[in-house]
Amino acid sequence: MGKEKDILERHLLENPEEHKEAMELITGRRWDIDPASFRHYPVHIPRDMGGTLSFLEQDSAMLVVDLTTEEELAITCTENQTIMDPIMVERLLAHIANQYLTRARDGKIPVPIIAGVLYYGDKPWTAPVSLREKLKIPKTGDSDFILDFRIHVVDLGALPDETIESMTTDLKYFAGLLKAKQEGRQYTVNRGEIHHPVWTIKGLAHLSGMEIDDEELLKISESKEECTMELAYTFLSKEQADAALQQGFLQGEASGIRKGFQEGEASGIQKGEKQGFRKGAEMTMSRVRELLSWLKKSSRESEADRALSSEQQFEQYWNEMQNSLKN
């Protein structure tokens, strides 16, 4: 996933609504503040080390202002992690220190800095969350003078079901998927509208280990229809796609898979599977979206799960749709 995933998550959290909800999760309370109060803030923070200017990069930072007076009230920061980082405490401490230092050097008034970590991993977070738990403090009797620093980590996959269901932004779908992965079960799609299709669908696809065709994604994002998880979920569940592939439900380049196996080489197998899965998924995504759109227009959304339950059911509904469109 790497850098591309980080960029996707960063873009999503640059939206004030998602950023506000992230801060509510980090602080454990609702913020009675208009999302418009969140303004973009530089994520590259200058740092002077030995007279050499360098930069310390943050995933997402926003400046909170009073909408009436434009007074600067606080800086909010998030770090996005897919894997546990044993030096996350030191990293976040450095980010906050550099924010304060930069503002001081720029002659700006210091404001509170609220920061935390959003964890997108499929295993529970077990890395240190405080500086003290990493230190071997001498028994000199002056340990009270050794400062501590704690970080707030939000393990999205460990959130209670009721918390996930109460969420109102696209972060809800990330939490739902990650919870399913941590619990070792198939992802049951959270219903609702996707507010930022490009960043959300691509981000979820990365976490699912799937590839998304940019052209198909562009069609979804530019569609006049409301983009919902029901329309997009074929991107998100690799388990469902794998099962469909075994049934012959994905009708892409199966020859690529066969060729890979026939060659008998592991690399050929992997390449064949990947090509066949990708091409098949691209084709099926388009057909599924078309069928679900027809069911919605026909006020038959409740039949969506049944229509996608098997190859036979899908073909039955697909033929019914085709016949209705001819009439």
Side-chain angles (χ1 to χ4, degrees), residues 34-257:
D34 191 323
S37 299
F38 290 86
R39 307 290 171 79
H40 293 292
Y41 201 70
V43 294
H44 296 288
I45 305 163
R47 177 177 57 180
D48 189 357
M49 297 183 64
T52 302
L53 185 65
S54 60
F55 291 87
L56 189 63
E57 185 174 339
Q58 286 188 281
D59 284 345
S60 177
M62 284 197 165
L63 181 68
V64 184
V65 303
D66 185 301
L67 289 177
T68 303
T69 65
E70 291 295 317
E71 177 187 0
E72 298 181 349
L73 304 176
I75 295 173
T76 55
C77 313
T78 65
E79 290 294 322
N80 304 311
Q81 291 293 126
T82 303
I83 60 175
M84 286 172 281
D85 188 346
I87 63 168
M88 195 69 242
V89 173
E90 291 89 339
R91 283 178 53 194
L92 202 55
L93 176 59
H95 291 331
I96 294 174
N98 273 276
Q99 288 279 16
Y100 280 121
L101 182 59
T102 300
R103 289 183 65 86
R105 288 179 172 175
D106 290 344
K108 296 181 179 179
I109 298 174
V111 296
I113 297 176
I114 305 170
V117 179
L118 289 187
Y119 176 54
Y120 298 78
D122 53 10
K123 295 180 180 179
W125 180 280
T126 58
V129 294
S130 72
L131 191 56
R132 269 183 170 266
E133 67 185 284
K134 304 184 71 175
L135 299 177
K136 184 177 180 181
I137 302 175
K139 297 180 179 180
T140 58
D142 58 358
S143 62
D144 292 342
F145 294 94
I146 298 176
L147 299 179
D148 192 14
F149 177 78
R150 297 188 64 86
I151 63 174
H152 298 279
V153 178
V154 176
D155 187 341
L156 291 172
L159 292 174
D161 290 333
E162 55 269 24
T163 299
I164 295 176
E165 288 305 315
S166 68
M167 295 168 67
T168 59
T169 75
D170 288 359
L171 284 174
K172 171 181 182 177
Y173 308 125
F174 284 86
L177 174 62
L178 291 167
K179 189 173 184 66
K181 292 183 71 175
Q182 286 197 13
E183 294 179 351
R185 59 175 172 79
Q186 186 170 322
Y187 174 46
T188 303
V189 178
N190 300 95
R191 296 185 180 276
E193 179 184 0
I194 299 176
H195 303 286
H196 308 285
V198 173
W199 308 124
T200 299
I201 294 176
K202 291 196 75 169
L204 290 169
H206 275 293
L207 290 173
S208 300
M210 294 184 65
E211 294 185 20
I212 297 300
D213 179 73
D214 288 338
E215 184 176 346
E216 184 69 21
L217 184 57
L218 185 62
K219 290 179 182 178
I220 293 178
S221 63
E222 292 182 346
S223 173
K224 294 182 180 180
E225 285 190 68
E226 178 182 83
C227 184
T228 65
M229 289 294 288
E230 289 86 347
L231 289 177
Y233 85 100
T234 50
F235 292 95
L236 312 179
S237 174
K238 190 174 187 300
E239 292 81 5
Q240 290 176 344
D242 283 340
L245 179 60
Q246 293 300 321
Q247 297 171 355
F249 185 73
L250 300 182
Q251 300 177 6
E253 294 183 359
S255 60
I257 299 175

Side-chain angles (χ1 to χ4, degrees), residues 213 216-217 219-220 231 234-235 250 279-294 314 318 321:
D213 179 73
E216 184 69 21
L217 184 57
K219 290 179 182 178
I220 293 178
L231 289 177
T234 50
F235 292 95
L250 300 182
K279 293 296 184 181
E282 291 172 6
M283 185 174 183
T284 298
M285 289 169 191
S286 179
R287 297 182 76 207
V288 169
R289 285 185 58 248
E290 187 175 349
L291 178 61
L292 293 178
S293 177
W294 175 72
F314 180 85
W318 179 265
M321 179 188 73

